[in-house]
Amino acid sequence: MVDPLDRAARADGGKTIAALAARFRNLDIAEEAFAEACARAVTAWAAEPPRDPAAWLYRVAERVALDRVRQTNVRATATLPGPEPDPTPEELMLDASPIPDERLKLIFTCCHPAIHPEARAALTLRLVCGLSTEEIARAFLTAEPTLAQRLVRAKRKIADAGIGFDIPGPAAWPERVAAVLSTIEVAYAHAHADGAGTGRHADYATEMLAITATLARMMPEEADVHALAATVRFAEARRPARVDAGGVMVPLSEQDPARWDAALIAEGRHYFVAAVRIGARRPRVIAALIHAEWCARTSLAEPPPWRNILTIYDALLSVRDDAITRLNRAVALAEVMGYEAALEEVDALDLPGLAQFLPYHATRAGLLYRLGLKEAARDAYDTALALDPGDAERRWLERRRAEVS
């Protein structure tokens, strides 16, 4: 059974910190107040958790933050009022939805051009989405200590420069949109990696559908925005078929298209058409085409479109050549050109952060297994399993690991 405090902190921590930061315009106060609220909850919830744990945490954190602000603003000799008492269940029932979702505002704040480009998305993922420093470092294939230093410098920059916590006007959006989209991509990737939708980041999937729709309305002539909105919808449309009756992940090529969400696919096509009209050669537009190609499949009787997928990945490499694109391309390459050619591509990847990147080890394990290199395949599966996969993914990896044996 999941602890109520742990569940609330994981599911609503980012939203709460975003709301506190927007109100008090101080990232450190927001984080510290939320941490204090969680600490108080350990005692206050010992007998019975509140009816709405997230609302309780927000209200307590809000009062802690107010107290911190008062202490900062009054003279040292002044007599400070005592902190307000923690909310009772009756008080919370009178305020059904006390947490304003200020995430999009904070995303734009953290993506300010004054902040170093390498820190913008990372800072947002830490504060808004509640990802740990370790998770963010893995996503960006960066050493954890290096990323931690970037986060500290970025928060200091926001404080020292007096950067506002409101969404800037349209004139400022273009210079921030790349970092905003990178943030959304990584946040959604964490939700997507959890096929069963039972992990700590499961809520991001629904939230990113809403956020990308909002961005598309804000920036109707931005190809990358529409492309990402399409990608999220194509990917989410496939969620109903991603896990079998036993809770095991189903690879994309083996999913039954009849179980996919036709309405979401239609929405995705709408955004994709707009993206192609605006900028067909943009990297995110080409990446969205990969998802569109898969979602064009209507039945398991149709062979997987591996050759088309490989062609699209080759086009993507011409405009965005990175380790993640090459790793994903290797999966299609294996089906078209053979497992040995794909393994050569994977082993040629040279980036220190890949050592902590679960898909790298899972892909490599599958290729080694198919080439009959069982001992190496077992080691690769063990490494992947040690990197904390989602429940459905873990079961699939364990099944494959058992098949090797």
Side-chain angles (χ1 to χ4, degrees):
M1 181 177 179
V2 180
D3 177 73
L5 175 56
D6 182 64
R7 181 171 57 245
R10 290 174 182 269
D12 296 289
K15 181 165 63 175
T16 302
I17 291 173
L20 293 168
R23 177 173 180 188
F24 295 99
R25 299 179 177 270
N26 188 299
L27 297 177
D28 288 328
I29 285 179
E31 286 192 290
E32 291 169 6
F34 182 70
E36 175 63 23
C38 290
R40 294 187 187 183
V42 173
T43 302
W45 300 6
E48 182 180 1
R51 183 169 300 183
D52 189 338
W56 191 98
L57 288 173
Y58 175 75
R59 283 305 186 212
V60 172
E62 181 185 46
R63 293 173 182 183
V64 170
L66 281 169
D67 192 48
R68 299 281 170 85
V69 170
R70 288 169 183 159
Q71 292 182 43
T72 301
N73 291 340
V74 300
R75 296 177 179 177
T77 56
T79 302
L80 294 174
E84 297 183 48
D86 295 336
T88 65
E90 291 74 16
E91 287 179 308
L92 290 176
M93 289 178 66
L94 294 175
D95 193 356
S97 55
I99 309 176
D101 195 340
E102 299 282 355
R103 294 198 196 207
L104 194 54
K105 288 183 181 180
L106 191 52
I107 288 174
F108 270 89
T109 297
C110 294
C111 293
H112 193 284
I115 300 171
H116 194 281
E118 293 180 342
R120 293 173 194 168
L123 179 63
T124 311
L125 290 164
R126 177 73 187 91
L127 293 172
V128 183
C129 302
L131 269 64
S132 68
T133 305
E134 179 184 11
E135 289 173 322
I136 302 169
R138 287 182 183 178
F140 287 104
L141 306 181
T142 303
E144 188 175 346
T146 300
L147 186 73
Q149 292 175 355
R150 290 176 184 169
L151 292 173
V152 170
R153 288 196 294 268
K155 288 199 293 183
R156 186 180 302 128
K157 182 69 175 181
I158 288 176
D160 293 346
I163 294 172
F165 283 78
D166 297 317
I167 294 181
W173 295 347
E175 62 185 353
R176 305 190 190 197
V177 68
V180 169
L181 294 179
S182 293
T183 298
I184 294 171
E185 283 175 330
V186 176
Y188 178 71
H190 277 76
H192 184 72
D194 175 21
T198 58
R200 59 176 294 201
H201 304 307
D203 290 345
Y204 293 169
T206 301
E207 293 179 15
M208 295 310 154
L209 286 170
I211 284 180
T212 53
T214 299
L215 283 173
R217 290 192 297 271
M218 291 169 58
M219 309 179 76
E221 293 301 315
E222 183 64 50
D224 284 346
V225 170
H226 287 281
L228 185 55
T231 295
V232 172
R233 281 153 181 79
F234 287 142
E236 277 306 291
R238 301 192 297 264
R239 187 174 291 277
R242 291 187 62 201
V243 178
D244 67 15
V248 181
M249 182 190 78
V250 179
L252 177 54
S253 61
E254 300 173 20
Q255 292 174 19
D256 183 359
R259 298 183 59 198
W260 293 345
D261 188 325
L264 273 180
I265 291 176
E267 285 186 30
R269 287 173 179 156
H270 168 78
Y271 284 112
F272 181 68
V273 167
V276 171
R277 173 183 61 80
I278 301 166
R281 292 291 297 171
R282 298 287 298 172
R284 285 189 177 90
V285 179
I286 299 175
L289 177 58
I290 295 170
H291 291 272
E293 182 68 24
W294 277 111
C295 287
R297 196 180 184 202
T298 60
S299 167
L300 276 173
E302 299 176 25
W306 287 120
R307 193 169 294 278
N308 289 349
I309 296 298
L310 180 59
T311 299
I312 300 170
Y313 268 119
D314 288 339
L316 181 57
L317 279 177
S318 70
V319 293
R320 188 178 70 192
D321 189 346
D322 57 40
I324 305 301
T325 301
R326 288 192 172 274
L327 180 64
N328 291 331
R329 176 183 176 274
V331 177
L333 184 69
E335 302 296 333
V336 177
M337 302 298 292
Y339 303 126
E340 188 171 352
L343 183 60
E344 289 180 3
E345 288 284 326
V346 171
D347 284 345
L349 296 175
D350 184 19
L351 199 62
L354 284 174
Q356 297 299 313
F357 192 55
L358 191 154
Y360 167 76
H361 296 287
T363 300
R364 191 168 180 275
L367 295 172
L368 290 166
Y369 172 43
R370 288 172 172 81
L371 288 169
L373 303 173
K374 292 187 176 181
E375 184 176 352
R378 280 195 296 269
D379 290 343
Y381 277 125
D382 287 340
T383 301
L385 285 164
L387 291 173
D388 194 27
D391 186 58
E393 290 71 26
R394 175 183 54 78
R395 295 185 184 191
W396 182 79
L397 289 168
E398 288 174 343
R399 176 185 289 179
R400 289 302 182 100
R401 171 67 169 77
E403 290 173 0
V404 175
S405 301

